Amino acid sequence: MEISNELLDGILKINLIGRMDVEGVAAISDPFASMLEQDKLSVIVDMTEVPYMSSIGIRALLINAKQVSRRGGKYVLLGPQPDVKNVLQVSGIDKIIGVCDTLDEAKNKVKPN
C-alpha cells in the first residue's frame, strides 16, 4: 500500500493506494499517523484507489479519525469504491466518519472555519 499527501486550500488530502489489509495497513500506519499531528487539521482521505478493506483497515481509519477529532480537526473519506463503501456501510463506519462522493463535497465538509 502507498500513501502520499497534498495541501489543497489549507486542507490536507491524504491519498491511499492499494489494499487495506494487514500488510497494507502495516505499511502506512506510521506515516499516516505522523501526517495528522497538527492541531485543528482538516483532512480528506482519498479512498478512490483502495479496492479492498478488511477490519484492520477500518480500525486504522477510526484511530486516525479519532486523533484528528481530539485535536479539534475534521476528517472525511473521499470516493470509496463500491466494495469498500459497502464495508463502511455494513460496519456502520459511515455513521461515524463522513463519506463523500466528490472532492467538492469533501472540501465543504472539512473547510477550515
Side-chain angles (χ1 to χ4, degrees):
M1 178 154 221
E2 298 173 31
I3 187 168
S4 64
N5 67 64
E6 57 189 302
L7 205 54
L8 304 173
D9 304 320
I11 298 168
L12 179 64
K13 182 174 173 269
I14 296 175
N15 307 301
L16 301 179
I17 300 172
R19 295 171 54 91
M20 288 191 79
D21 54 16
V22 172
E23 294 83 17
V25 171
I28 64 161
S29 185
D30 290 340
F32 199 169
S34 68
M35 289 176 189
L36 304 175
E37 291 178 344
Q38 182 179 330
D39 287 344
K40 297 185 181 177
L41 194 59
S42 296
V43 179
I44 297 171
V45 179
D46 188 336
M47 304 281 292
T48 58
E49 299 291 325
V50 177
Y52 173 82
M53 183 170 58
S54 69
S55 59
I56 194 86
I58 293 170
R59 182 177 181 274
L61 293 175
L62 284 172
I63 287 170
N64 288 309
K66 190 173 184 178
Q67 178 179 335
V68 170
S69 179
R70 268 196 311 259
R71 292 190 163 120
K74 298 176 185 175
Y75 180 100
V76 297
L77 305 177
L78 170 63
Q81 294 182 16
D83 288 345
V84 173
K85 191 170 190 173
N86 185 54
V87 169
L88 295 169
Q89 291 169 338
V90 168
S91 64
I93 299 307
D94 64 329
K95 306 288 189 258
I96 300 168
I97 302 171
V99 178
C100 303
D101 292 323
T102 68
L103 182 57
D104 285 340
E105 179 188 359
K107 282 181 174 181
N108 286 332
K109 280 197 174 186
V110 299
K111 196 179 330 181
N113 296 333

XYZ file of all heavy atoms in Angstrom:
855
model
N 0.841 -1.171 0.000
C 0.000 0.000 0.000
C 0.887 1.235 0.000
O 1.941 1.249 0.617
C -0.904 -0.037 1.224
C -1.800 1.148 1.358
S -3.272 0.765 2.281
C -4.429 1.652 1.310
N 0.425 2.273 -0.696
C 1.156 3.534 -0.773
C 0.334 4.649 -0.149
O -0.892 4.614 -0.168
C 1.437 3.886 -2.235
C 2.302 2.880 -2.958
C 2.408 3.184 -4.438
O 2.360 4.374 -4.820
O 2.528 2.229 -5.218
N 1.040 5.654 0.381
C 0.387 6.815 0.970
C 1.161 8.066 0.548
O 2.386 8.053 0.487
C 0.311 6.700 2.514
C -0.525 7.839 3.109
C 1.685 6.622 3.135
C -0.872 7.630 4.575
N 0.419 9.106 0.227
C 1.029 10.399 -0.086
C 0.055 11.466 0.375
O -1.086 11.167 0.742
C 1.319 10.535 -1.584
O 0.108 10.513 -2.322
N 0.511 12.711 0.372
C -0.407 13.783 0.753
C -0.137 15.028 -0.061
O 0.923 15.167 -0.676
C -0.335 14.061 2.251
C 0.983 14.645 2.687
O 1.344 15.750 2.283
N 1.724 13.916 3.496
N -1.114 15.906 -0.065
C -1.002 17.197 -0.731
C -1.884 18.185 0.026
O -2.813 17.786 0.724
C -1.429 17.088 -2.197
C -2.839 16.558 -2.399
C -3.160 16.246 -3.845
O -3.067 17.159 -4.679
O -3.516 15.083 -4.127
N -1.554 19.454 -0.091
C -2.320 20.503 0.567
C -3.198 21.189 -0.472
O -2.712 21.648 -1.493
C -1.364 21.512 1.217
C -1.892 22.305 2.395
C -2.446 21.403 3.482
C -0.796 23.191 2.960
N -4.512 21.222 -0.205
C -5.476 21.854 -1.103
C -6.218 22.941 -0.330
O -7.066 22.621 0.501
C -6.502 20.834 -1.618
C -6.001 19.592 -2.322
C -7.161 18.646 -2.595
C -5.323 19.971 -3.620
N -5.903 24.194 -0.577
C -6.607 25.309 0.075
C -6.651 25.152 1.593
O -7.703 25.322 2.211
C -8.036 25.441 -0.484
C -8.066 25.599 -1.984
O -7.203 26.328 -2.520
O -8.934 24.990 -2.634
N -5.532 24.772 2.202
C -5.471 24.626 3.653
C -6.020 23.309 4.174
O -6.117 23.100 5.377
N -6.386 22.410 3.281
C -6.923 21.096 3.659
C -5.888 20.037 3.286
O -5.364 20.031 2.173
C -8.250 20.812 2.922
C -9.307 21.850 3.306
C -8.735 19.397 3.206
C -10.546 21.823 2.437
N -5.596 19.127 4.221
C -4.661 18.040 3.952
C -5.413 16.903 3.267
O -6.367 16.358 3.829
C -4.037 17.531 5.255
C -3.050 16.373 5.110
C -1.820 16.811 4.312
C -2.651 15.844 6.471
N -5.006 16.577 2.054
C -5.596 15.448 1.326
C -4.592 14.315 1.349
O -3.472 14.455 0.858
C -5.935 15.837 -0.106
C -6.595 14.728 -0.902
C -7.044 15.254 -2.268
C -7.545 14.161 -3.155
N -6.476 13.590 -3.993
N -4.997 13.209 1.963
C -4.149 12.022 2.054
C -4.635 11.022 1.018
O -5.816 10.668 0.991
C -4.197 11.421 3.471
C -3.622 12.427 4.475
C -3.454 10.094 3.522
C -3.716 12.002 5.911
N -3.730 10.597 0.156
C -4.058 9.670 -0.924
C -3.585 8.270 -0.560
O -2.399 8.069 -0.310
C -3.386 10.132 -2.222
C -3.704 11.575 -2.542
O -4.860 11.950 -2.693
N -2.679 12.402 -2.605
N -4.513 7.328 -0.534
C -4.191 5.936 -0.246
C -4.332 5.129 -1.526
O -5.304 5.288 -2.262
C -5.135 5.379 0.818
C -5.135 6.092 2.172
C -6.153 5.436 3.102
C -3.758 6.074 2.796
N -3.353 4.256 -1.781
C -3.384 3.410 -2.965
C -3.036 1.983 -2.546
O -1.970 1.747 -1.972
C -2.378 3.897 -4.032
C -2.708 5.323 -4.454
C -2.360 2.954 -5.229
C -1.668 5.963 -5.348
N -3.948 1.057 -2.811
C -3.686 -0.344 -2.515
C -4.705 -0.943 -1.566
O -5.685 -0.306 -1.196
N -4.455 -2.155 -1.184
C -5.361 -2.913 -0.323
C -5.135 -2.571 1.150
O -4.002 -2.606 1.616
C -5.141 -4.407 -0.536
C -5.515 -4.868 -1.935
C -5.074 -6.295 -2.191
N -5.543 -7.240 -1.193
C -6.681 -7.920 -1.268
N -7.475 -7.772 -2.299
N -7.027 -8.767 -0.305
N -6.225 -2.267 1.839
C -6.136 -2.002 3.273
C -6.362 -3.314 4.032
O -7.366 -3.511 4.705
C -7.140 -0.927 3.708
C -6.749 0.454 3.227
S -7.717 1.772 3.962
C -6.933 1.916 5.576
N -5.393 -4.203 3.886
C -5.373 -5.466 4.609
C -4.241 -5.395 5.628
O -3.673 -4.315 5.843
C -5.221 -6.646 3.653
C -4.016 -6.522 2.719
O -3.118 -5.690 2.988
O -3.976 -7.260 1.718
N -3.903 -6.490 6.257
C -2.880 -6.474 7.308
C -1.564 -5.896 6.798
O -0.981 -4.999 7.423
C -2.661 -7.896 7.898
C -1.478 -7.909 8.847
C -3.912 -8.380 8.599
N -1.099 -6.367 5.660
C 0.177 -5.895 5.126
C 0.099 -4.430 4.701
O 1.011 -3.642 4.959
C 0.619 -6.748 3.925
C 0.946 -8.186 4.263
C -0.290 -9.093 4.318
O -1.365 -8.717 3.788
O -0.197 -10.170 4.915
N -0.982 -4.063 4.037
C -1.145 -2.689 3.560
C -1.200 -1.680 4.687
O -0.526 -0.645 4.651
N -1.984 -1.980 5.704
C -2.111 -1.067 6.845
C -0.786 -0.965 7.595
O -0.389 0.120 8.019
C -3.270 -1.495 7.767
C -3.270 -0.703 9.062
C -4.613 -1.323 7.046
N -0.076 -2.081 7.733
C 1.231 -2.043 8.401
C 2.188 -1.108 7.662
O 2.979 -0.388 8.281
C 1.817 -3.447 8.488
N 2.095 -1.085 6.329
C 2.994 -0.254 5.525
C 2.723 1.234 5.672
O 3.628 2.054 5.525
C 2.894 -0.661 4.054
N 1.476 1.609 5.971
C 1.138 3.040 6.031
C 0.852 3.559 7.429
O 0.679 4.761 7.624
C -0.086 3.359 5.133
C -1.337 2.644 5.643
C 0.217 3.051 3.684
C -2.634 3.209 5.142
N 0.802 2.701 8.406
C 0.380 3.080 9.753
C 1.155 4.267 10.331
O 0.553 5.262 10.754
C 0.497 1.873 10.681
O -0.007 2.183 11.944
N 2.468 4.175 10.378
C 3.278 5.253 10.962
C 3.219 6.545 10.157
O 2.989 7.614 10.733
C 4.717 4.799 11.179
C 4.843 3.771 12.294
O 3.924 3.680 13.143
O 5.856 3.054 12.316
N 3.408 6.491 8.826
C 3.334 7.747 8.082
C 1.946 8.393 8.157
O 1.834 9.615 8.233
C 3.688 7.371 6.645
C 3.908 5.918 6.598
C 3.827 5.374 7.973
N 0.898 7.584 8.166
C -0.462 8.100 8.247
C -0.629 8.877 9.553
O -1.054 10.041 9.562
C -1.447 6.927 8.177
C -2.867 7.273 7.814
C -3.753 6.257 7.500
C -3.347 8.570 7.771
C -5.076 6.514 7.154
C -4.669 8.853 7.428
C -5.535 7.819 7.118
N -0.255 8.269 10.667
C -0.384 8.925 11.970
C 0.450 10.197 12.051
O 0.002 11.214 12.593
C 0.001 7.955 13.081
N 1.647 10.167 11.508
C 2.509 11.354 11.602
C 1.999 12.508 10.754
O 2.242 13.673 11.080
C 3.951 11.010 11.238
O 4.068 10.697 9.885
N 1.265 12.220 9.695
C 0.688 13.290 8.877
C -0.405 14.056 9.623
O -0.746 15.169 9.258
C 0.079 12.715 7.587
C 1.085 12.226 6.599
S 0.218 11.479 5.173
C 1.599 10.750 4.314
N -0.942 13.454 10.674
C -2.107 14.011 11.366
C -1.772 14.659 12.703
O -2.654 14.876 13.519
C -3.138 12.890 11.583
C -3.589 12.165 10.321
C -4.504 11.012 10.676
C -4.250 13.119 9.356
N -0.517 15.005 12.934
C -0.097 15.509 14.239
C -0.425 16.975 14.494
O -0.315 17.442 15.606
C 1.393 15.253 14.430
C 1.691 13.778 14.577
C 3.170 13.478 14.720
O 4.004 14.348 14.409
O 3.482 12.354 15.135
N -0.848 17.705 13.495
C -1.127 19.127 13.646
C -2.517 19.347 14.263
O -3.455 18.614 13.998
C -1.068 19.771 12.254
C -1.278 21.248 12.234
C -1.184 21.780 10.796
O -0.476 21.232 9.960
N -1.910 22.827 10.535
N -2.658 20.383 15.098
C -3.953 20.725 15.682
C -4.872 21.351 14.645
O -4.415 22.002 13.701
C -3.770 21.722 16.843
C -3.178 21.060 18.069
O -3.190 19.817 18.157
O -2.695 21.784 18.949
N -6.172 21.160 14.859
C -7.233 21.759 14.034
C -7.017 21.513 12.542
O -7.192 22.399 11.718
C -7.377 23.243 14.339
C -7.800 23.498 15.764
C -8.055 24.951 16.029
C -8.459 25.111 17.486
N -8.672 26.470 17.867
N -6.671 20.303 12.224
C -6.375 19.915 10.852
C -7.661 19.491 10.140
O -8.503 18.806 10.705
C -5.399 18.735 10.888
C -4.674 18.341 9.634
C -3.833 19.503 9.090
C -3.763 17.163 9.920
N -7.818 19.923 8.902
C -8.915 19.470 8.044
C -8.336 18.421 7.107
O -7.386 18.689 6.382
C -9.477 20.646 7.242
O -10.046 21.595 8.110
N -8.923 17.211 7.125
C -8.339 16.081 6.414
C -9.359 15.412 5.497
O -10.476 15.109 5.919
C -7.808 15.019 7.410
C -7.215 13.827 6.679
C -6.810 15.622 8.361
N -8.938 15.178 4.273
C -9.695 14.361 3.331
C -8.831 13.137 3.036
O -7.694 13.275 2.595
C -9.984 15.117 2.020
C -10.859 16.341 2.286
C -10.614 14.183 0.996
C -11.001 17.265 1.084
N -9.373 11.948 3.301
C -8.660 10.713 2.996
C -9.233 10.167 1.688
O -10.381 9.728 1.637
C -8.799 9.677 4.133
C -8.060 8.395 3.775
C -8.281 10.250 5.442
N -8.434 10.243 0.631
C -8.859 9.809 -0.697
C -8.772 8.286 -0.784
O -7.687 7.709 -0.759
C -7.982 10.473 -1.756
C -8.468 10.221 -3.167
O -9.173 9.213 -3.401
O -8.133 11.026 -4.048
N -9.935 7.650 -0.907
C -10.034 6.187 -0.947
C -10.301 5.662 -2.361
O -10.589 4.482 -2.525
C -11.188 5.745 -0.031
C -11.094 6.204 1.406
S -9.976 5.221 2.380
C -10.833 3.669 2.436
N -10.216 6.511 -3.366
C -10.582 6.108 -4.724
C -9.711 4.995 -5.290
O -10.144 4.280 -6.195
C -10.566 7.314 -5.698
O -9.268 7.907 -5.696
C -11.595 8.363 -5.302
N -8.505 4.833 -4.754
C -7.582 3.802 -5.258
C -7.419 2.641 -4.267
O -6.411 1.943 -4.274
C -6.213 4.424 -5.548
C -6.239 5.516 -6.605
C -6.531 4.972 -8.001
O -6.098 3.853 -8.321
O -7.210 5.681 -8.763
N -8.425 2.461 -3.404
C -8.403 1.362 -2.426
C -9.489 0.353 -2.831
O -10.668 0.587 -2.600
C -8.651 1.882 -0.989
C -8.701 0.726 0.001
C -7.584 2.888 -0.593
N -9.091 -0.779 -3.451
C -10.078 -1.744 -3.931
C -10.606 -2.704 -2.860
O -11.626 -3.366 -3.065
C -9.309 -2.523 -4.997
C -7.892 -2.481 -4.524
C -7.730 -1.137 -3.862
N -9.915 -2.780 -1.705
C -10.279 -3.759 -0.677
C -9.945 -3.206 0.692
O -8.911 -2.556 0.874
C -9.504 -5.071 -0.897
C -9.684 -6.078 0.201
C -10.802 -6.908 0.230
C -8.759 -6.182 1.226
C -10.984 -7.823 1.260
C -8.931 -7.092 2.252
C -10.044 -7.907 2.273
O -10.221 -8.806 3.288
N -10.834 -3.477 1.666
C -10.555 -3.069 3.031
C -11.056 -4.132 4.000
O -12.226 -4.532 3.943
C -11.230 -1.728 3.348
C -10.901 -1.240 4.734
S -11.433 0.453 5.047
C -13.160 0.347 4.727
N -10.176 -4.589 4.869
C -10.538 -5.552 5.903
C -10.779 -4.812 7.211
O -10.694 -3.585 7.281
C -9.409 -6.579 6.076
O -8.269 -5.960 6.645
N -11.044 -5.563 8.262
C -11.319 -4.945 9.566
C -10.127 -4.141 10.088
O -10.309 -3.126 10.762
C -11.727 -6.006 10.592
O -10.702 -6.968 10.748
N -8.922 -4.538 9.755
C -7.745 -3.772 10.187
C -7.714 -2.402 9.498
O -7.271 -1.414 10.077
C -6.429 -4.561 9.962
C -5.255 -3.924 10.714
C -6.083 -4.675 8.504
C -5.132 -4.372 12.125
N -8.224 -2.337 8.279
C -8.336 -1.064 7.581
C -9.352 -0.149 8.249
O -9.129 1.053 8.410
N -10.480 -0.727 8.655
C -11.495 0.042 9.383
C -10.881 0.602 10.662
O -11.056 1.777 10.989
C -12.711 -0.847 9.718
C -13.441 -1.240 8.437
C -13.646 -0.152 10.695
C -14.502 -2.309 8.643
N -10.155 -0.235 11.370
C -9.515 0.187 12.622
C -8.556 1.349 12.381
O -8.550 2.329 13.120
C -8.771 -1.000 13.239
C -8.107 -0.703 14.555
C -7.453 -1.974 15.120
N -6.834 -1.726 16.390
C -5.602 -1.258 16.553
N -4.841 -0.983 15.504
N -5.108 -1.067 17.762
N -7.761 1.267 11.324
C -6.806 2.341 11.012
C -7.532 3.656 10.734
O -7.115 4.716 11.220
C -5.942 1.949 9.809
N -8.620 3.600 9.970
C -9.385 4.811 9.683
C -9.964 5.411 10.963
O -9.930 6.628 11.162
C -10.502 4.516 8.681
C -10.064 4.141 7.271
C -11.276 3.762 6.435
C -9.279 5.268 6.614
N -10.506 4.556 11.833
C -11.098 5.045 13.086
C -10.061 5.655 14.020
O -10.296 6.715 14.612
C -11.824 3.906 13.808
C -13.168 3.502 13.227
C -13.681 2.248 13.908
C -14.169 4.630 13.358
N -8.925 5.008 14.162
C -7.868 5.528 15.036
C -7.419 6.904 14.563
O -7.273 7.831 15.358
C -6.672 4.549 15.088
C -7.035 3.323 15.911
C -5.417 5.231 15.633
C -6.026 2.196 15.822
N -7.222 7.042 13.265
C -6.765 8.324 12.734
C -7.842 9.393 12.794
O -7.556 10.557 13.068
C -6.207 8.138 11.324
C -4.882 7.416 11.351
O -3.972 7.795 12.080
N -4.764 6.357 10.590
N -9.094 9.012 12.571
C -10.199 9.974 12.698
C -10.300 10.473 14.137
O -10.506 11.665 14.380
C -11.511 9.327 12.267
N -10.125 9.575 15.075
C -10.182 9.953 16.495
C -9.038 10.903 16.841
O -9.221 11.878 17.572
C -10.118 8.686 17.353
C -10.406 8.910 18.800
C -10.487 7.576 19.528
C -10.865 7.778 20.967
N -10.998 6.509 21.681
N -7.848 10.635 16.304
C -6.693 11.504 16.539
C -6.977 12.920 16.033
O -6.690 13.899 16.716
C -5.453 10.927 15.849
C -4.216 11.780 15.986
C -2.998 11.160 15.297
O -2.907 9.964 15.116
N -2.058 11.992 14.920
N -7.537 13.026 14.844
C -7.850 14.337 14.266
C -8.917 15.039 15.111
O -8.800 16.222 15.424
C -8.303 14.196 12.798
C -8.860 15.502 12.261
C -7.137 13.729 11.930
N -9.940 14.309 15.487
C -11.035 14.877 16.286
C -10.544 15.383 17.640
O -10.938 16.470 18.080
C -12.119 13.814 16.476
O -13.163 14.323 17.246
N -9.693 14.616 18.294
C -9.134 15.034 19.603
C -8.373 16.339 19.496
O -8.304 17.106 20.454
C -8.188 13.960 20.138
C -8.816 12.947 21.036
C -7.767 12.167 21.820
N -6.693 11.663 20.986
C -6.587 10.417 20.542
N -7.511 9.543 20.833
N -5.566 10.057 19.810
N -7.807 16.598 18.349
C -7.030 17.822 18.139
C -7.879 18.945 17.535
O -7.353 19.938 17.066
C -5.833 17.524 17.243
C -4.817 16.630 17.941
C -3.535 16.554 17.122
N -2.467 16.062 17.954
C -1.784 14.946 17.711
N -2.057 14.235 16.648
N -0.827 14.568 18.515
N -9.190 18.750 17.506
C -10.079 19.797 17.032
C -10.224 19.898 15.537
O -10.698 20.906 15.017
N -9.860 18.845 14.807
C -9.924 18.874 13.356
C -11.138 18.158 12.797
O -11.987 17.659 13.535
N -11.215 18.127 11.479
C -12.303 17.462 10.758
C -11.689 16.450 9.798
O -10.616 16.678 9.255
C -13.125 18.488 9.984
C -13.789 19.508 10.876
C -14.500 20.551 10.047
C -15.070 21.647 10.924
N -15.663 22.718 10.114
N -12.418 15.338 9.558
C -11.868 14.192 8.824
C -12.993 13.535 8.030
O -14.028 13.195 8.611
C -11.326 13.245 9.885
C -10.674 11.955 9.476
C -9.296 11.843 9.446
C -11.422 10.810 9.216
C -8.673 10.632 9.156
C -10.811 9.597 8.917
C -9.447 9.520 8.891
O -8.828 8.317 8.611
N -12.814 13.388 6.737
C -13.792 12.676 5.907
C -13.070 11.742 4.940
O -11.882 11.907 4.667
C -14.706 13.634 5.093
C -15.546 14.498 6.003
C -13.912 14.458 4.102
N -13.834 10.792 4.431
C -13.337 9.857 3.429
C -13.899 10.265 2.072
O -15.056 10.670 1.971
C -13.782 8.431 3.764
C -13.403 7.922 5.157
C -13.977 6.526 5.373
C -11.905 7.941 5.348
N -13.085 10.141 1.043
C -13.480 10.540 -0.300
C -13.512 9.354 -1.252
O -12.534 8.603 -1.347
C -12.503 11.590 -0.848
C -12.628 11.952 -2.330
C -13.983 12.586 -2.625
C -11.492 12.874 -2.742
N -14.633 9.189 -1.932
C -14.748 8.300 -3.074
C -14.410 6.841 -2.902
O -13.743 6.280 -3.775
N -14.879 6.184 -1.835
C -14.565 4.756 -1.734
C -15.212 3.980 -2.881
O -16.325 4.301 -3.312
C -15.151 4.346 -0.385
C -16.163 5.382 -0.062
C -15.726 6.644 -0.735
N -14.498 2.977 -3.376
C -15.022 2.104 -4.413
C -16.224 1.336 -3.853
O -16.362 1.208 -2.631
C -13.937 1.146 -4.891
C -12.800 1.854 -5.596
C -11.739 0.898 -6.120
O -11.946 -0.298 -6.236
N -10.583 1.446 -6.452
N -17.105 0.811 -4.718
C -18.337 0.165 -4.236
C -18.136 -0.904 -3.159
O -18.874 -0.918 -2.165
C -18.937 -0.438 -5.516
C -18.452 0.478 -6.602
C -17.060 0.886 -6.186
N -17.159 -1.792 -3.315
C -16.947 -2.839 -2.298
C -16.506 -2.241 -0.967
O -16.950 -2.677 0.097
C -15.909 -3.863 -2.773
C -16.436 -4.773 -3.872
O -17.672 -4.818 -4.085
O -15.606 -5.439 -4.529
N -15.636 -1.244 -1.030
C -15.159 -0.589 0.195
C -16.294 0.219 0.821
O -16.485 0.191 2.045
C -13.927 0.296 -0.098
C -13.535 1.109 1.121
C -12.757 -0.568 -0.560
N -17.070 0.898 0.014
C -18.211 1.677 0.530
C -19.194 0.748 1.230
O -19.736 1.078 2.288
C -18.892 2.431 -0.610
C -19.906 3.445 -0.132
C -20.369 4.321 -1.278
C -21.191 5.480 -0.769
N -21.520 6.430 -1.833
N -19.406 -0.439 0.658
C -20.294 -1.417 1.277
C -19.772 -1.841 2.653
O -20.540 -1.940 3.611
C -20.460 -2.637 0.361
C -21.471 -3.614 0.906
O -22.609 -3.261 1.197
N -21.054 -4.859 1.046
N -18.464 -2.071 2.761
C -17.862 -2.428 4.052
C -18.086 -1.305 5.063
O -18.439 -1.550 6.222
C -16.351 -2.732 3.896
C -15.663 -2.829 5.241
C -16.145 -4.004 3.103
N -17.906 -0.057 4.622
C -18.107 1.093 5.509
C -19.561 1.179 5.977
O -19.829 1.474 7.152
C -17.704 2.387 4.800
C -16.231 2.531 4.454
C -16.013 3.715 3.519
C -15.387 2.669 5.705
N -20.499 0.891 5.077
C -21.914 0.958 5.431
C -22.341 -0.195 6.331
O -23.016 0.021 7.340
C -22.777 0.987 4.158
C -22.620 2.276 3.390
C -23.252 2.239 2.010
O -23.458 1.165 1.429
N -23.541 3.409 1.462
N -21.938 -1.412 5.989
C -22.309 -2.591 6.771
C -21.752 -2.505 8.194
O -22.415 -2.867 9.160
C -21.842 -3.891 6.066
C -21.954 -5.096 6.976
C -22.629 -4.104 4.790
N -20.533 -1.974 8.321
C -19.899 -1.860 9.642
C -20.384 -0.635 10.419
O -20.079 -0.495 11.596
C -18.379 -1.809 9.485
O -18.012 -0.636 8.781
N -21.109 0.269 9.750
C -21.605 1.475 10.413
C -20.592 2.596 10.506
O -20.853 3.637 11.110
N -19.440 2.435 9.894
C -18.391 3.455 9.948
C -18.849 4.742 9.266
O -18.491 5.839 9.686
C -17.082 2.932 9.303
C -16.576 1.713 10.059
C -16.016 4.021 9.249
C -16.413 1.888 11.548
N -19.692 4.601 8.234
C -20.182 5.792 7.539
C -21.058 6.676 8.426
O -21.324 7.822 8.096
C -20.915 5.408 6.252
C -22.173 4.587 6.506
O -22.221 3.818 7.496
O -23.119 4.698 5.710
N -21.494 6.146 9.565
C -22.264 6.943 10.538
C -21.326 7.706 11.483
O -21.725 8.665 12.122
C -23.180 6.045 11.372
C -24.097 5.170 10.569
C -25.199 5.955 9.915
C -26.225 5.062 9.288
N -26.120 4.930 7.850
N -20.068 7.264 11.557
C -19.078 7.864 12.459
C -18.160 8.820 11.699
O -17.831 9.895 12.182
C -18.233 6.755 13.127
C -19.140 5.827 13.937
C -17.147 7.349 14.010
C -18.459 4.555 14.385
N -17.752 8.410 10.507
C -16.850 9.197 9.659
C -17.618 9.580 8.401
O -18.207 8.710 7.749
C -15.596 8.389 9.266
C -14.824 7.920 10.497
C -14.686 9.214 8.366
C -13.698 6.947 10.182
N -17.600 10.848 8.042
C -18.270 11.287 6.821
C -17.662 10.643 5.588
O -16.447 10.501 5.489
N -18.522 10.247 4.658
C -18.087 9.662 3.391
C -18.637 10.538 2.272
O -19.844 10.762 2.193
C -18.590 8.210 3.245
C -18.174 7.628 1.895
C -18.082 7.337 4.380
N -17.758 11.037 1.421
C -18.140 11.950 0.341
C -17.837 11.324 -1.010
O -16.849 10.619 -1.172
C -17.374 13.265 0.480
S -17.628 14.073 2.073
N -18.690 11.636 -1.979
C -18.502 11.101 -3.321
C -17.641 11.998 -4.203
O -17.027 11.521 -5.155
C -19.857 10.865 -3.993
C -20.635 9.742 -3.321
O -20.009 8.744 -2.900
O -21.868 9.864 -3.209
N -17.623 13.302 -3.912
C -16.855 14.234 -4.750
C -15.878 15.033 -3.900
O -16.100 15.235 -2.697
C -17.781 15.219 -5.489
O -18.379 16.098 -4.531
C -18.856 14.489 -6.290
N -14.836 15.527 -4.540
C -13.847 16.340 -3.845
C -14.479 17.632 -3.334
O -14.189 18.065 -2.212
C -12.657 16.629 -4.757
C -11.513 17.430 -4.142
C -10.964 16.749 -2.899
C -10.410 17.644 -5.170
N -15.351 18.252 -4.116
C -16.005 19.487 -3.670
C -16.838 19.260 -2.410
O -16.822 20.064 -1.482
C -16.884 20.074 -4.779
C -16.072 20.737 -5.877
O -14.898 21.095 -5.631
O -16.604 20.895 -6.990
N -17.567 18.154 -2.381
C -18.367 17.814 -1.203
C -17.458 17.621 0.016
O -17.739 18.117 1.109
C -19.171 16.541 -1.480
C -20.020 16.073 -0.314
C -20.662 14.711 -0.548
O -20.472 14.102 -1.631
O -21.334 14.236 0.378
N -16.359 16.907 -0.180
C -15.414 16.659 0.914
C -14.812 17.967 1.416
O -14.724 18.191 2.620
C -14.318 15.702 0.454
N -14.406 18.840 0.496
C -13.834 20.131 0.892
C -14.833 20.943 1.717
O -14.466 21.556 2.716
C -13.426 20.941 -0.336
C -12.139 20.515 -0.979
C -11.878 21.433 -2.175
C -10.558 21.198 -2.826
N -10.336 22.115 -3.964
N -16.089 20.947 1.302
C -17.103 21.709 2.032
C -17.337 21.161 3.437
O -17.605 21.919 4.355
C -18.422 21.741 1.256
C -18.363 22.661 0.059
O -17.624 23.634 0.049
N -19.130 22.332 -0.964
N -17.223 19.843 3.612
C -17.434 19.237 4.934
C -16.299 19.528 5.906
O -16.527 19.572 7.109
C -17.632 17.733 4.812
C -19.020 17.366 4.400
C -19.288 15.914 4.696
C -20.740 15.618 4.404
N -21.125 14.286 4.795
N -15.092 19.683 5.403
C -13.953 19.879 6.310
C -13.360 21.286 6.252
O -12.356 21.559 6.896
C -12.821 18.849 6.057
C -13.316 17.448 6.295
C -12.205 19.004 4.686
N -13.987 22.150 5.490
C -13.469 23.500 5.298
C -13.107 24.155 6.635
O -13.907 24.159 7.560
C -14.530 24.364 4.593
C -14.021 25.637 4.009
C -15.107 26.437 3.310
C -16.203 25.615 2.703
N -17.225 26.376 2.018
N -11.885 24.681 6.729
C -11.495 25.364 7.978
C -12.418 26.557 8.243
O -12.853 27.215 7.311
C -10.073 25.848 7.695
C -9.586 25.020 6.551
C -10.796 24.670 5.747
N -12.700 26.774 9.522
C -13.603 27.885 9.901
C -12.987 29.231 9.681
O -11.895 29.519 9.783
C -14.022 27.738 11.358
C -14.837 26.474 11.566
O -15.492 25.987 10.634
N -14.804 25.938 12.756
